């Protein structure tokens, strides 16, 4: 007989809530179930999962802690069900400084739905980009020290002692397109010298926000390190890179204009020569965006991103320049009970597309029912077009407590 | 790689705390021959402490009587005629932990600075500082209703004097200078003893839209403070009741609390 640990946990939660009566629960979190079905034949179920998130926090004087636990049950693959610590950290604050130590999510940058200077936390790509942001971003064990004692300047330093790789789709996943990489790329040895470090200076001033960031880190995706030895598989692993970035936000009436740029010293690209190891080149990313708040609960946002490979030559397959445009529109209706939103990503080269439409209805306080569609279109050679068989419709219910 | 913000953004509650800070001196204005503008200047310049902390509960009631609840903790600190305001959302649970910071400027030609911290995104974003006619968190109050509207954004006319709930009031009509404003006029009853607006009728191009009513006024820390109010929308038959608890003035709030780098730290709930 199959066990349903999450169902039991949910029942325990509800019983606990009932016995607590009107008293607030000692923890917060949410219970969520989501299900996605492929639009085209054979109409496979692409995702079916129930998740319980429990969060606890407390404080005393200038110290605080936060912990969140994820219990997820996959209705497709029982072995994918898990209970794990999502985040768990302590905050300590002094006069002009604060420290956060432990498992945490650190997000840099101000792009909407894109990563430019957001380089510290690896991503869970098991369902590509169709998951919610706080589930895509994977927490890291880190020490985050901030100096805040100089007015509007904040200086932040981050140390991540142990490398954590991005999570890729399993070989039998519909989101695994192409041959992919071997299952066991060699990860960096867990030693202090292999840690990642970063620093960021931020100014939040009247009329402008400005940040400069730098980091020495590992690329989160595996690369082919060398050609395959005779009769053996090619070795895969991870490579170091240096990073420098900046962001800018300027309000102008009902608009907010945003800019973001990042430079990487070593990004790996597939070699043009058959079987050759991936080639490292510097990469520059530049994003310009604009948010518009016209009123009547409308929000519109457009962004343009250009990636340019420095010292581009014939040894790699990727074009020297690659462009992407995004557009997002949303409106809240019926006193914010219903939100309709649509976000589209279109590449300028291949012209392929990812579009997500979503309707989010608040049934009661904290209880939402959502439905939507993820459309992938365009040539299969494109970054989105390759997933065109995975165009899906989905439903989700989420109760936050 | 791309990802998508999952969070349903709460509308930016930019100048709510100004509304929370309705208070007035003990001495009323007894001057005669006051104009409508004179009265509104007195209302605008009521002393309200150098800083204020309060907890706001909002109950939204639709035409079928169904209720929704929102809860916010708010702080305000004055910097001369400018002020900085911080709000942390507590309920409903799906927006708990969201924080909103605004730096409001008295100069009407200078846009306010506003930032929103969303815990799901672990990120602070700058948002537009331009007032809008959106409703705040689904209530019947627009941001403009709750904001620090400059007196000279309207032309004011004293219509007369009238007793309301046993209190002598001035009745002032205010017509927006900007013809594109969502309201065509407002008529406000102002308690003469306290220089306090106790009722406002809002009109748009279709007629009487909604009514603001003060239910309870208390003397807290030497300041008259509205601790319960309501807004009733006569078209949608929707009501919002607001109550304030834990109101404290002049507690010496630190400047650091009103900086952007403070938004991402502290308890979520």
């Amino acid at each position: 007989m199959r066990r349903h640990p999450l169902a039991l946990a949910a029942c325990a939660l509800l019983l606990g809530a009932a016995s607590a009566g009107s008293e607030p629960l000692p923890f917060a979190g949410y219970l969520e179930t989501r299900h996605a079905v492929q639009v085209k034949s054979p109409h496979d179920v692409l995702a079916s999962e129930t998740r319980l998130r429990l969060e606890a926090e407390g404080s005393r004087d200038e110290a605080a802690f936060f912990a969140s636990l994820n219990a997820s049950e996959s209705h497709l693959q029982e072995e994918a069900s898990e209970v794990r610590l999502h985040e768990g950290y302590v905050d300590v604050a002094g006069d002009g400084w604060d420290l956060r130590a432990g498992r945490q999510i650190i997000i840099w940058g101000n792009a909407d739905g894109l990563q430019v200077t957001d380089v510290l936390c690896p991503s869970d790509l098991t369902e590509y980009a169709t998951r919610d942001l706080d589930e895509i971003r994977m927490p890291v064990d880190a020490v985050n020290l901030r100096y805040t004692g100089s007015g509007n300047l904040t200086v932040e330093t981050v140390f991540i002692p142990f490398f954590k790789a991005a999570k890729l789709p399993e070989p039998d996943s519909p989101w695994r397109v192409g041959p992919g990489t071997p299952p066991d790329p060699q990860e960096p040895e867990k030693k202090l010298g292999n840690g990642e470090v970063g620093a960021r200076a931020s100014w939040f001033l009247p009329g402008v926000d400005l940040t400069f960031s730098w980091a020495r880190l590992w690329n989160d995706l595996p690369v082919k390190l060398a050609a395959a030895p005779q009769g053996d598989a090619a070795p895969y692993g991870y490579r170091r890179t240096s990073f420098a970035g900046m962001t800018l936000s300027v309000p102008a009436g009902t608009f907010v204009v945003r800019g973001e740029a990042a430079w990487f010293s070593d990004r790996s690209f597939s070699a043009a020569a058959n079987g050759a190891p991936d080639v490292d080149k510097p990469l520059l990313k530049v994003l310009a965006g604009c948010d518009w708040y016209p009123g009547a609960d409308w929000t519109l946002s457009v962004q343009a991103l250009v990636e340019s490979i420095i010292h581009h030559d014939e040894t790699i397959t990727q074009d020297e320049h690659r462009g992407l445009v995004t557009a997002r529109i949303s409106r809240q209706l019926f006193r914010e009970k219903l939100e309709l939103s649509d976000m589209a990503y279109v590449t300028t080269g291949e012209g392929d597309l990812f579009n997500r439409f979503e309707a989010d209805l608040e049934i009661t306080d904290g209880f939402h029912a959502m439905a939507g569609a993820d459309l992938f279109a365009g040539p299969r050679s494109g970054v989105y077009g390759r997933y065109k068989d995975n165009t899906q419709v989905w439903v989700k219910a989420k109760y936050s407590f | 790689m791309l990802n998508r913000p999952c969070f349903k953004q709460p509308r930016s509650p930019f100048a709510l705390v100004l509304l929370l800070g309705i208070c007035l001196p003990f001495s009323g204005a007894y001057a005669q021959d006051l104009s409508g503008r004179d009265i509104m200047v007195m209302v605008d310049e009521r002393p309200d402490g150098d800083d204020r902390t309060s907890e706001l509960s909002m109950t939204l009631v639709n035409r079928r009587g169904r209720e929704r609840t929102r809860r916010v903790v708010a702080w305000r600190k004055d910097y001369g005629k400018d002020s900085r305001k911080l709000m942390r959302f507590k309920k409903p649970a799906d927006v708990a932990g969201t924080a909103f910071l605004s730096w409001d400027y008295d100069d009407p030609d200078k846009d306010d600075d506003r930032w929103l911290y969303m815990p799901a995104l672990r990120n602070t974003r700058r948002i537009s500082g331009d007032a809008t006619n959106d409703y705040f968190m689904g209530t019947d109050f627009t941001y403009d209703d709750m904001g620090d509207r400059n007196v000279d954004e309207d032309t004011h006319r004293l219509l007369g004097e009238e007793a309301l709930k046993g209190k002598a009031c001035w009745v002032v009509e205010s017509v927006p200078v900007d013809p594109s404003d969502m309201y065509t006029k407002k008529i406000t009853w102002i308690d003469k003893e306290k220089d306090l607006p106790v009722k406002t009728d809002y009109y748009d191009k279709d007629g009487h839209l909604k009514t603001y009513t003060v239910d309870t006024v208390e003397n807290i820390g030497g300041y008259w403070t509205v601790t319960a109010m309501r807004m009733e929308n006569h078209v949608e038959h929707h009501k919002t009741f607001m109550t304030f608890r834990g109101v404290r003035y002049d507690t010496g709030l630190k400047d650091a609390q009103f900086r952007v780098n403070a938004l991402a730290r502290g308890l979520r709930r």
Side-chain angles (χ1 to χ4, degrees):
Chain A
M1 178 179 162
R2 192 180 171 207
R3 291 175 300 162
H4 296 277
L6 195 54
L8 291 173
C11 289
L13 170 69
L14 294 175
L15 285 172
S19 63
S22 59
E23 293 297 315
L25 293 170
F27 46 79
Y30 61 80
L31 182 63
E32 172 191 279
T33 186
R34 65 182 186 92
H35 310 274
V37 177
Q38 183 183 30
V39 169
K40 69 181 290 188
S41 182
H43 310 299
D44 284 340
V45 177
L46 296 180
S48 181
E49 183 190 46
T50 301
R51 176 191 297 264
L52 176 65
R53 166 80 58 86
L54 291 178
E55 297 175 349
E57 65 179 356
S59 68
R60 187 167 194 172
D61 300 327
E62 298 299 319
F65 79 92
F66 175 81
S68 64
L69 193 75
N70 264 354
S72 62
E73 181 175 352
S74 169
H75 307 296
L76 295 178
Q77 297 173 292
E78 194 169 2
E79 62 273 17
S81 302
E82 62 178 3
V83 177
R84 62 179 167 82
L85 178 69
H86 185 60
E87 285 185 277
Y89 54 76
V90 293
D91 283 337
V92 182
D95 188 19
W97 62 272
D98 57 59
L99 176 82
R100 176 169 290 179
R103 185 161 298 177
Q104 57 190 289
I105 292 175
I106 306 168
I107 297 179
W108 286 354
N110 58 21
D112 185 9
L114 295 170
Q115 290 176 281
V116 180
T117 61
D118 180 16
V119 294
L120 294 181
C121 286
S123 299
D124 179 348
L125 302 173
T126 50
E127 292 180 41
Y128 191 51
T130 61
R131 299 298 308 277
D132 289 339
L133 178 65
D134 63 336
E135 291 153 1
I136 285 182
R137 193 73 75 261
M138 296 164 64
V140 291
D141 297 327
V143 177
N144 186 347
L145 174 66
R146 300 193 315 166
Y147 169 70
T148 57
S150 180
N152 294 316
L153 166 67
T154 302
V155 178
E156 175 182 6
T157 56
V158 179
F159 175 56
I160 303 171
F162 305 121
F163 168 75
K164 191 170 187 176
K167 198 171 174 183
L168 298 172
E170 296 295 327
D172 57 349
S173 166
W175 298 101
R176 179 77 166 255
V177 176
T181 54
D184 294 312
Q186 184 70 39
E187 291 196 5
E189 188 182 346
K190 287 190 188 312
K191 62 179 184 180
L192 209 57
N194 280 340
E196 297 175 309
V197 293
R200 181 172 69 155
S202 310
W203 288 266
F204 297 97
L205 304 168
V208 62
D209 297 344
L210 188 62
T211 73
F212 293 97
S213 49
W214 171 89
R216 180 68 180 162
L217 37 84
W218 294 88
N219 285 305
D220 297 329
L221 294 172
V223 299
K224 186 192 283 188
L225 296 173
Q230 192 103 30
D232 208 347
Y236 277 75
Y238 299 88
R239 286 178 175 160
R240 280 272 198 190
T241 183
S242 293
F243 153 85
M246 67 165 294
T247 69
L248 177 74
S249 291
V250 178
T254 55
F255 295 89
V256 175
V257 179
R258 294 181 280 110
E260 194 164 353
W263 169 84
F264 299 86
S265 65
D266 298 278
R267 274 292 168 103
S268 297
F269 301 94
S270 296
N274 197 21
D278 291 345
V279 178
D280 279 3
K281 298 280 184 187
L283 177 71
L284 182 66
K285 290 183 174 184
V286 179
L287 176 140
C290 182
D291 306 322
W292 183 32
Y293 304 88
D297 289 322
W298 285 95
T299 307
L300 294 94
S301 170
V302 293
Q303 299 176 125
L305 172 68
V306 175
E307 293 185 5
S308 297
I309 300 170
I310 314 298
H311 307 313
H312 183 272
D313 57 27
E314 303 304 317
T315 61
I316 58 177
T317 57
Q318 186 170 312
D319 292 340
E320 183 175 4
H321 304 290
R322 204 161 71 165
L324 174 68
V325 176
T326 76
R328 185 174 194 273
I329 182 168
S330 70
R331 188 176 189 200
Q332 293 180 316
L333 299 159
F334 311 124
R335 304 302 180 96
E336 301 186 6
K337 283 183 74 71
L338 175 65
E339 180 174 24
L340 301 176
S341 64
D342 191 272
M343 183 158 186
Y345 302 73
V346 182
T347 64
T348 55
E350 298 280 357
D352 55 331
L353 162 81
F354 169 44
N355 185 85
R356 167 166 271 207
F357 168 77
E358 180 175 352
D360 181 338
L361 177 65
E362 183 190 64
I363 306 291
T364 61
D365 287 344
F367 180 40
H368 288 249
M370 289 155 269
D374 298 333
L375 169 69
F376 294 91
R380 289 185 186 276
S381 54
V383 293
Y384 303 119
R386 70 185 61 174
Y387 298 106
K388 64 197 303 182
D389 292 340
N390 291 355
T391 291
Q392 62 180 2
V393 291
W394 53 268
V395 293
K396 185 159 79 171
K398 185 172 184 178
Y399 174 62
S400 302
F401 49 86
Chain B
M1 206 344 264
L2 70 164
N3 42 54
R4 186 188 62 82
C6 66
F7 193 73
K8 180 180 180 180
Q9 293 192 5
R11 310 308 309 165
S12 49
F14 34 85
L16 174 65
V17 189
L18 184 99
L19 182 70
L20 315 191
I22 289 176
C23 55
L24 60 160
F26 290 112
S27 60
Y30 299 102
Q32 301 301 307
D33 301 327
L34 292 169
S35 69
R37 186 181 182 282
D38 293 336
I39 294 167
M40 297 312 283
V41 167
M42 289 194 302
V43 170
D44 186 56
E45 294 184 348
R46 285 188 310 269
D48 57 358
D50 292 332
D51 66 54
R52 172 179 158 135
T53 303
S54 61
E55 189 172 307
L56 166 63
S57 292
M58 295 167 279
T59 303
L60 288 57
V61 185
N62 71 8
R63 66 171 68 212
R64 292 186 297 277
R66 289 186 62 182
E67 295 186 0
R68 301 154 71 197
T69 304
R70 278 93 182 86
R71 193 158 66 83
V72 169
V73 178
W75 298 265
R76 186 209 71 219
K77 183 165 184 172
D78 290 343
Y79 293 81
K81 287 199 161 188
D82 300 335
S83 63
R84 295 185 178 186
K85 298 160 186 170
L86 171 66
M87 304 179 72
R88 289 192 184 275
F89 295 74
K90 301 296 179 180
K91 283 186 177 177
D94 54 308
V95 298
T98 300
F100 172 79
L101 175 67
S102 70
W103 296 354
D104 296 346
Y105 304 107
D106 183 61
D107 182 353
D109 295 328
K110 187 175 180 181
D111 280 345
D112 298 336
D113 289 292
R114 293 172 186 141
W115 296 269
L116 193 64
Y117 171 73
M118 291 173 286
L121 301 180
R122 272 72 162 186
N123 205 356
T124 301
R125 285 191 71 159
R126 182 181 276 272
I127 58 177
S128 166
D130 210 30
T132 73
N133 295 324
D134 294 350
Y135 286 103
F136 168 65
M137 291 186 82
T139 69
D140 292 282
F141 293 84
T142 67
Y143 296 113
D144 208 33
D145 298 338
M146 306 166 87
D148 187 8
R149 188 174 175 88
N150 188 287
V151 170
D152 291 323
E153 288 184 72
D154 301 280
T155 56
H156 307 280
R157 185 163 64 98
L158 177 61
L159 298 181
E161 300 182 14
E162 191 175 301
L164 187 69
K165 294 181 182 175
K167 301 284 185 185
C169 294
W170 287 300
V171 184
V172 176
E173 179 189 74
S174 303
V175 177
V177 173
D178 181 356
S180 65
D181 195 285
M182 74 177 291
Y183 304 123
T184 52
K185 68 175 179 182
K186 289 174 282 188
I187 297 178
T188 305
W189 282 255
I190 297 157
D191 185 325
K192 292 175 70 174
E193 181 193 350
K194 300 169 181 165
D195 294 345
L196 177 71
V198 290
K199 177 183 172 185
T200 303
D201 280 330
Y202 293 80
Y203 295 82
D204 66 6
K205 59 182 172 44
D206 296 319
H208 191 189
L209 175 64
K210 59 187 186 180
T211 300
Y212 163 78
T213 309
V214 168
D215 291 322
T216 309
V217 179
E218 296 178 49
N219 186 343
I220 299 174
Y223 302 102
W224 290 109
T225 305
V226 175
T227 53
M229 67 179 78
R230 70 180 70 188
M231 183 77 89
E232 299 175 68
N233 187 307
H234 305 299
V235 176
E236 297 180 28
H237 302 288
H238 193 278
K239 289 181 265 189
T240 300
F241 297 87
M242 286 190 175
T243 58
F244 302 91
R245 292 167 37 191
V247 180
R248 287 173 292 156
Y249 291 98
D250 299 330
T251 57
L253 297 177
K254 293 179 180 174
D255 292 341
Q257 185 172 346
F258 298 91
R259 291 184 188 137
V260 178
N261 54 32
L263 294 178
R265 292 293 196 263
L267 297 182
R268 297 186 180 197
R269 290 178 171 79

